[in-house]
C-alpha cells in the first residue's frame, strides 16, 4: 500500500521521473558520529526526490536517535552491545589519540593502537551478528525489494547484506588509512611518489626522505590492514559458505562516493567509479539567532573568531582550557567558543562559551575572520565553502592530516594541542587574520569548491539513482579486479621477457663459445699440421 | 568596439554571466577532417554563450571553408604548403593504410609508416612556421587579449602560441598511439595489464600473451614517439631560446577533454584534469529529406541499413564495390549507401547510392536496423547515441581498434575490407539484425551514453570557461609532472631501501662471521691450553 501511494506520488508530482525511475527503495547500513552527519543530507535529498529510505540501526547506537521524527524509516535490530560499551570504546580511542599516543614509543603506540582497532573491528562484527541473527528484520528486508544499499564502510557487514539481498552497493567514504581499502579493494592507483597516504601528514610535493616515508607507510599499513582483515575474511567466508575475502567483497561495490574534492584533496589518479563529492553537507548561511547576531555585530570592524573542536570533544583539562582562553583574550576579535567544560579562569570578556553554535551560519557571516577547528572534514568543508582561513588544533584520526592539506594550500596554520602555549595560539590567530594570503587562499579554495559542473549532493544522488536504474554500474568497474597482484603489475610479463632475454643471451654465449672453440681448435690443429 | 558591444550584449542578455565571466575571447588552433567536425559543436556552443571565437586557419586548409558564413571569426595565415600538398599527403596515408600496409612485412611496414608520419610531422612544423612568421597575424593575436587556447593537438605548435600569448591551453583529444602522449606528457597512469594501448586492437580483458603484446606495444610506441618528438623538441627549444621538450610543453595543458566516454572506452585510471566528453556532436534525429523518407518508409517491417565509410573514403576498387553491392542485395532490408564511386554492376534494387546522407538522422530513424561503418569515432558515437548495432569495415587509424571496442561490448561484428567475401558481409548483417543481443547491447551502451550527470558538450564548455574564469586549472594538475621517471616509479626509493637492506645483511654477516671466528678461535686456543 505504502509503495503504491509512493508510486502514485511520483506519477503526480513527477519526482524521480526525470531520470526514468519510479521511486525506489534504498537501504542504509548504520554508522556513527560525523559519518552519520555526512550521510544525512544525501538521504534527505533522496527522500525529497520520492525515494523510500530505510536506515538499519543497532540497539546500541549513540548518534542515531530513532525516537526523533525523521524523513526516513528506521529498522532497528538488537546487538549484544550496550550504548555504554560503544561510548567506552569511543572514549578509550579518543583518550588514547589525544593524550596517550604522544607519550608512547613507536612500538608501544602501534601495539596499543592495533589493540584498540581490533576491539573496534570485533565490535563491527557484533553489529553484523546482531543483524544476521535477527530473523524478523531479515525477513522484512528480504520482502522490502530494495534497489540499492548505501553505506559508509566504516563498519563491516554491508557486503554480506548486499549479497543476501542481491542488491548493488554504493559506498560513501572519506578515507581509509593510507588509502589501503581504496587501493587494495577498490583498485584505485596511487603512486607513492606523489600520492601521500591518508593520515600520513605528507603533501603531494615530497622530498626524497618523505617519499621513502610514504612508501614505507603504504607498505606498513597494507600489512596491518591485511592482518586485521583476516578476522573479517573468516567471518565472511563462514557466512557465505565459500572462501572469500573482505577485500574481494568490497571490490564489488559499484560506486565509491569519496567525500572530498580537489579543493581539499591533492590531485591524484582515480577510477571511473570513484566520484569526488566533497562538501555534500555545505549550504548557505542562515540568519543567526538574535543573541549570537548581537554579539557578532558588537565586534565592529575587528570581526569574530569561531572556535569549535567538533561534536566529539566537548571538554579538556583545566590547564589546556586556560592556555587557550588566555590566548583568545589577547586578540581584538570577539570569540564564539563551543565548549561544554568548566569555565576557564583566564576567560576574557571578548570570549563567550556556548554548548552549541550554528557553526555553518557563523562561518558564512561576513564578520567572521577565522575559524579555530579540530580539523574534522565537515568543519573544514564549511570553512572552504565560506572561504574562511583556519587555525587547526587537530586531535585524532584524519584531523592532523586534514590540517596539513589546508596548511599546504595556504589557508591555515597548525597548533599542537598538547604542547602549544598561549603565545603560539595568539601568533597563529594574528597570522591568519592579518596576513591577507590566508584569506586569499581560503577564497581560492572556495571558488574551486563552488565552481564545478554539478553540486556534490546532486552528483551523489545521481550516481545512487544511476545504480538503481541500471542495477549497478559495472561499465565503470576496471578489469584490474580480475587480476592477481603480480598480473596487475605485469611482473609475470617482466619475468617472461627477462627469461627470453636470458635465453637469447645464453644461446648467443653458447654459439659464440662454440665458434671461438672451433676457430681456436682449427687454428691449433692447423698449426700442429704445419 | 567589438569587445565593448559583446560585453554589452552579455550584460543585457545575461550570457556567460551565470558562471561569473564576461564574454571571453577564445583562440582555436587549426585542425582537419573529423577532428574539425569534433571541435565545431563546442565552438558553436561557446559562440551561443556569447564568447568571441577566433579560428587560426592555414592557407592550405582542406576542410575549413573560410568563405562560408560561420559564427566564429577566421584568422588565416600563409604557409609554404599548397592544398594539393596536404591532399597528396592525406591520400598517400590513406592508400598506405588501406591497401599497402597489409601486403608488407612488419619491418617494411614500420619503416614506411615512420616515413609517412615523419612527413606529417614536418608538415605540422610548416604550419607552425607559417604562423610564427606572419607578423601581422601575430600582432593581431597579441592585441586580441585571448583568455584560452582551444586545441586538438593532432598538429603541434599550440604550446608555443600559448607560451607566446601567455594563455592557458585546453586540449580536445581523441587518442594518441598507445596513449603515449596522455601517458608520457599528460601523466595519466595506464597499467599495461588491463589498459590496452590505443589502436592495439586489444581489450581490457587480456590473456597472458596479449598482456605481453600490450606491454611491448607500449614500449615500442613510446620509443617511436620519443624519437619522432626529437624534431619538435629542437624546434620548440630553438623558438623559446631555452632547452625544453615537446612533451614537457604539452604537459602544461590545463584540461584534456577526451572525446570518448565509458560507453565506448574500457574503464581505466585517469586524472582530475582529464574529462571524458565523448559524444559532443551527437544530437536527436531531425526529419529526413522527402525522397529519403519515402525510400526508408518503403522498407516495411524489414527496415533499412545505413552504410557509410566516412568523409574520407568516397571510392573503392570496382571488385570490392561489387562484392559489397552483391551482399547488400541479399538482405531483405533497404540499404542507403553513401558512395561517390562508379555504380557497381552487382547493385541490387534494394540499395540506393548517395553522394551524401543525413547519417545522424537516418541512424535515429526507428526503421534503421543496422549501420555499416568504417568505425570512425564520430559515426560510432552516433550509432551509440541512437542504439544501432554495427557492422564494421575498418580502414585505417583508430578504426580497427574502435570496432574491437564495439565488438567486445557486443554491439558489432567486424569485416576485413580487403579479404571479405559477399557471404561474410551477408552473414555479418544478418547476425546484427536478427540476433537480438546486438540490439540489446547497442541499447545498453545508448543508455550509458545518455545517462550521465552533465551533457558532454556542456561539460566541455564548462571546463573551457572554468579555465577562462580562473586563468587555468592548476589545482587539477598532478605533481607527477615535477618528477623524473625514476622518481615517479619510486625506483630511487627502491634502490635506497635495497641498499639499506644489503648493508644490514652485510653487517649482520660480518658480525656473525667475527662471532664464529672468535668462538672457534677461543675454543681452539682453549683446547690447545688443555
Amino acid at each position: 500500500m505504502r509503495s503504491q501511494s509512493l508510486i502514485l506520488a511520483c506519477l503526480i508530482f513527477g519526482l524521480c521521473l526525470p531520470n526514468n525511475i519510479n521511486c525506489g527503495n534504498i537501504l542504509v547500513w548504520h554508522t556513527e558520529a560525523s559519518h552519520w552527519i555526512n550521510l544525512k543530507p544525501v538521504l534527505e535529498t533522496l527522500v525529497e526526490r520520492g525515494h523510500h529510505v530505510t536506515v538499519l540501526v543497532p540497539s546500541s547506537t549513540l548518534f542515531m536517535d530513532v525516537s526523533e521524527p525523521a524523513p526516513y524509516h528506521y529498522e532497528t535490530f538488537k546487538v549484544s552491545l550496550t550504548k555504554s560499551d560503544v561510548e567506552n570504546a569511543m572514549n578509550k580511542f579518543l583518550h588514547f589519540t589525544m593524550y596517550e599516543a604522544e607519550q608512547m614509543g613507536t612500538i608501544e603506540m602501534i601495539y596499543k593502537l592495533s589493540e584498540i582497532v581490533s576491539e573496534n573491528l570485533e565490535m563491527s562484527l557484533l553489529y553484523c551478528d546482531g543483524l544476521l541473527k535477527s530473523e524478523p528484520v531479515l525477513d522484512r528486508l528480504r520482502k522490502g525489494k530494495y534497489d540499492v544499499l548505501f553505506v559508509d564502510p566504516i563498519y563491516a557487514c554491508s557486503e554480506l547484506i548486499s549479497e543476501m539481498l542481491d542488491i548493488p552497493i554504493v559506498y560513501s567514504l572519506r578515507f581509509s588509512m593510507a588509502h589501503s581499502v581504496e587501493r587494495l579493494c577498490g583498485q584505485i592507483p596511487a603512486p607513492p611518489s606523489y600520492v601521500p597516504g591518508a593520515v600520513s601528514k605528507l603533501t603531494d610535493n615530497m622530498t626524497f626522505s618523505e617519499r621513502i616515508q610514504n612508501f614505507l607507510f603504504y607498505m606498513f599499513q597494507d600489512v596491518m590492514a591485511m592482518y586485521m582483515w583476516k578476522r573479517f575474511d573468516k567471518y565472511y567466508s563462514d557466512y557465505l559458505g565459500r572462501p572469500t575475502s573482505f577485500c574481494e567483497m568490497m571490490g564489488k561495490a559499484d560506486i565509491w562516493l569519496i567525500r572530498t574534492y580537489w579543493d581539499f584533496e591533492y590531485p591524484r589518479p582515480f577510477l571511473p567509479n570513484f566520484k569526488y563529492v566533497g562538501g555534500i553537507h555545505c549550504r548557505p548561511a542562515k540568519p543567526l539567532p538574535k543573541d549570537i547576531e548581537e554579539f557578532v555585530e558588537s565586534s565592529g570592524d575587528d570581526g569574530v573568531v569561531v572556535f569549535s573542536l567538533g561534536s566529539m570533544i566537548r571538554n579538556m583539562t583545566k590547564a589546556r582550557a586556560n592556555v587557550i582562553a588566555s590566548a583568545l583574550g589577547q586578540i581584538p576579535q570577539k570569540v564564539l567558543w563551543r565548549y561544554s567544560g568548566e569555565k576557564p579562569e583566564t576567560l576574557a570578556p571578548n570570549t563567550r562559551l556556548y554548548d552549541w553554535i550554528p557553526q555553518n551560519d557563523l562561518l558564512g557571516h561576513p564578520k567572521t575572520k577565522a575559524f579555530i577547528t579540530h580539523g574534522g572534514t565537515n568543519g573544514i568543508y564549511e570553512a572552504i565553502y565560506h572561504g574562511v582561513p583556519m587555525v587547526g588544533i587537530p586531535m585524532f584520526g584524519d584531523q592532523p592530516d586534514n590540517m596539513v592539506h589546508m596548511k599546504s594550500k595556504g589557508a591555515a596554520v597548525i597548533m599542537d594541542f598538547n604542547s602549544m602555549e598561549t603565545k603560539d595560539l595568539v601568533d597563529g590567530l594574528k597570522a591568519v587574520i592579518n596576513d591577507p594570503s590566508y584569506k586569499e587562499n581560503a577564497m581560492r579554495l572556495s571558488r574551486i569548491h563552488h565552481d564545478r559542473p554539478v553540486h556534490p549532493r546532486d552528483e551523489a544522488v545521481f550516481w545512487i539513482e544511476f545504480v538503481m536504474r541500471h542495477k549497478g554500474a559495472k561499465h565503470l568497474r576496471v578489469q584490474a579486479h580480475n587480476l592477481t597482484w603480480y598480473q596487475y603489475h605485469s611482473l609475470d610479463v617482466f619475468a617472461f621477457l627477462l627469461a627470453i632475454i636470458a635465453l637469447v643471451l645464453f644461446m648467443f654465449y653458447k654459439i659464440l663459445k662454440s665458434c671461438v672453440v672451433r676457430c681456436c681448435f682449427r687454428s691449433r690443429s692447423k698449426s700442429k699440421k704445419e
Side-chain angles (χ1 to χ4, degrees), chain A:
Chain A
M1 184 64 199
R2 191 189 62 207
S3 66
Q4 275 176 348
S5 52
L6 275 168
I7 291 169
L8 196 66
C10 288
L11 291 173
I12 294 170
F13 299 110
L15 292 168
C16 328
L17 291 182
N19 297 304
N20 301 321
I21 185 170
N22 287 326
C23 302
N25 277 333
I26 298 158
L27 189 61
V28 183
W29 181 229
H30 91 108
T31 185
E32 294 282 9
S34 59
H35 298 258
W36 174 231
I37 295 172
N38 267 294
L39 291 196
K40 274 165 78 174
V42 179
L43 302 186
E44 281 158 12
T45 312
L46 286 166
V47 169
E48 272 167 27
R49 290 177 61 77
H51 299 292
H52 185 248
V53 175
T54 303
V55 187
L56 288 163
V57 186
S59 51
S60 62
T61 185
L62 290 183
F63 285 80
M64 289 163 146
D65 189 353
V66 295
S67 65
E68 265 190 12
Y72 23 80
H73 170 66
Y74 289 114
E75 180 72 72
T76 51
F77 59 93
K78 275 249 172 217
V79 289
S80 58
L81 278 165
T82 62
K83 278 181 194 286
S84 63
D85 290 336
V86 181
E87 206 158 13
N88 289 343
M90 246 174 213
N91 287 338
K92 192 174 171 185
F93 176 67
L94 284 181
H95 199 262
F96 169 75
T97 48
M98 279 176 68
Y99 302 107
E100 294 172 32
E102 219 165 66
Q103 327 233 333
M104 291 176 181
T106 312
I107 305 291
E108 191 192 359
M109 194 271 282
I110 289 172
Y111 177 76
K112 184 81 182 164
L113 180 67
S114 69
E115 205 180 72
I116 292 176
V117 172
S118 284
E119 274 172 34
N120 273 283
L121 295 184
E122 277 305 320
M123 221 163 75
S124 187
L125 288 184
L126 288 180
Y127 291 131
C128 204
D129 250 12
L131 179 74
L132 298 179
K133 284 173 183 163
S134 292
E135 228 4 273
V137 177
L138 292 186
D139 199 43
R140 277 198 293 280
L141 293 185
R142 284 192 201 100
K143 286 180 186 151
K145 291 188 181 160
Y146 290 99
D147 300 297
V148 67
L149 181 58
F150 182 46
V151 179
D152 181 322
I154 190 168
Y155 296 121
C157 204
S158 57
E159 300 74 24
L160 293 182
I161 305 169
S162 136
E163 188 90 356
M164 182 178 68
L165 302 179
D166 192 21
I167 51 173
I169 290 189
V170 173
Y171 283 142
S172 168
L173 178 70
R174 167 60 190 94
F175 76 99
S176 67
M177 294 282 278
H179 305 299
S180 293
V181 168
E182 299 92 308
R183 286 185 294 109
L184 302 178
C185 316
Q187 298 295 342
I188 198 170
S193 52
Y194 76 94
V195 181
V199 311
S200 67
K201 293 188 263 178
L202 296 167
T203 74
D204 59 345
N205 192 359
M206 291 179 259
T207 61
F208 178 61
S209 67
E210 284 171 336
R211 287 194 290 111
I212 293 172
Q213 199 180 321
N214 196 40
F215 186 88
L216 293 175
F217 182 62
Y218 272 38
M219 277 182 63
F220 175 73
Q221 285 298 340
D222 288 359
V223 171
M224 281 281 279
M226 283 188 283
Y227 171 72
M228 298 276 186
W229 295 340
K230 284 240 173 284
R231 183 74 188 85
F232 290 148
D233 295 348
K234 187 174 166 356
Y235 190 93
Y236 277 39
S237 301
D238 286 351
Y239 181 80
L240 294 173
R242 57 178 160 86
T244 187
S245 75
F246 175 59
C247 209
E248 185 193 336
M249 296 291 291
M250 285 197 88
K252 291 184 181 175
D254 285 87
I255 298 282
W256 299 63
L257 300 172
I258 306 294
R259 296 197 299 262
T260 52
Y261 184 62
W262 314 114
D263 43 8
F264 170 90
E265 201 82 59
Y266 304 117
R268 55 162 293 156
F270 62 109
L271 297 175
N273 60 343
F274 278 69
K275 310 290 176 187
Y276 286 78
V277 293
I280 279 180
H281 69 293
C282 296
R283 55 179 205 279
K286 292 198 297 281
L288 296 170
K290 206 172 160 234
D291 60 324
I292 294 184
E293 176 68 32
E294 279 171 10
F295 182 60
V296 170
E297 284 302 331
S298 73
S299 66
D301 286 344
D302 290 321
V304 300
V305 168
V306 181
F307 179 13
S308 166
L309 295 182
S311 54
M312 293 180 80
I313 314 288
R314 308 204 169 182
N315 218 328
M316 60 180 78
T317 62
K318 245 181 175 178
R320 288 287 87 195
N322 274 324
V323 165
I324 291 172
S326 168
L328 300 178
Q330 294 179 36
I331 56 170
Q333 284 74 27
K334 298 270 168 102
V335 183
L336 298 101
W337 182 3
R338 179 188 177 174
Y339 184 62
S340 312
E342 201 183 314
K343 186 177 166 184
E345 291 141 14
T346 55
L347 198 76
N350 72 331
T351 307
R352 276 200 197 166
L353 302 181
Y354 296 87
D355 268 345
W356 175 87
I357 49 169
Q359 183 173 290
N360 182 62
D361 307 328
L362 275 168
L363 290 173
H365 196 284
K367 283 212 183 289
T368 299
K369 301 289 174 192
F371 178 36
I372 311 177
T373 172
H374 63 307
T377 321
N378 288 346
I380 287 184
Y381 258 109
E382 286 174 355
I384 291 177
Y385 184 93
H386 297 294
V388 179
M390 288 158 262
V391 173
I393 311 179
M395 299 287 177
F396 63 89
D398 56 335
Q399 295 161 7
D401 192 55
N402 292 347
M403 286 316 307
V404 169
H405 280 237
M406 287 302 98
K407 187 185 172 189
S408 69
K409 287 170 195 272
V413 295
I414 305 179
M415 302 284 128
D416 181 78
F417 177 68
N418 289 313
S419 67
M420 73 174 172
E421 293 301 322
T422 297
K423 190 179 175 303
D424 302 326
L425 185 52
V426 174
D427 290 349
L429 277 166
K430 284 190 175 163
V432 298
I433 293 168
N434 300 330
D435 178 345
S437 76
Y438 289 97
K439 179 68 182 174
E440 277 161 22
N441 285 320
M443 286 308 293
R444 183 175 53 81
L445 297 184
S446 186
R447 283 192 296 273
I448 291 169
H449 177 92
H450 287 279
D451 203 357
R452 38 184 160 171
V454 188
H455 187 280
R457 199 182 314 138
D458 294 337
E459 196 176 348
V461 166
F462 177 88
W463 287 111
I464 294 169
E465 289 188 344
F466 183 97
V467 168
M468 292 163 77
R469 281 193 289 278
H470 301 270
K471 307 198 182 309
K474 292 287 172 278
H475 70 293
L476 300 179
R477 196 169 175 271
V478 289
Q479 272 292 335
H481 287 283
N482 303 327
L483 298 175
T484 61
W485 65 271
Y486 60 85
Q487 286 173 330
Y488 178 92
H489 292 290
S490 295
L491 297 185
D492 52 349
V493 170
F494 263 119
F496 178 80
L497 293 177
L498 279 179
I500 295 280
I501 292 168
L503 190 72
V504 169
L505 286 177
F506 178 71
M507 281 168 65
F508 181 71
Y509 165 73
K510 279 282 179 195
I511 291 166
L512 203 74
K513 197 177 158 191
S514 81
C515 284
V516 170
V517 167
R518 211 167 284 184
C519 289
C520 295
F521 181 74
R522 264 191 203 168
S523 57
R524 269 185 212 167
S525 55
K526 220 175 171 182
S527 57
K528 264 189 183 178
K529 273 181 192 173
E530 278 168 7

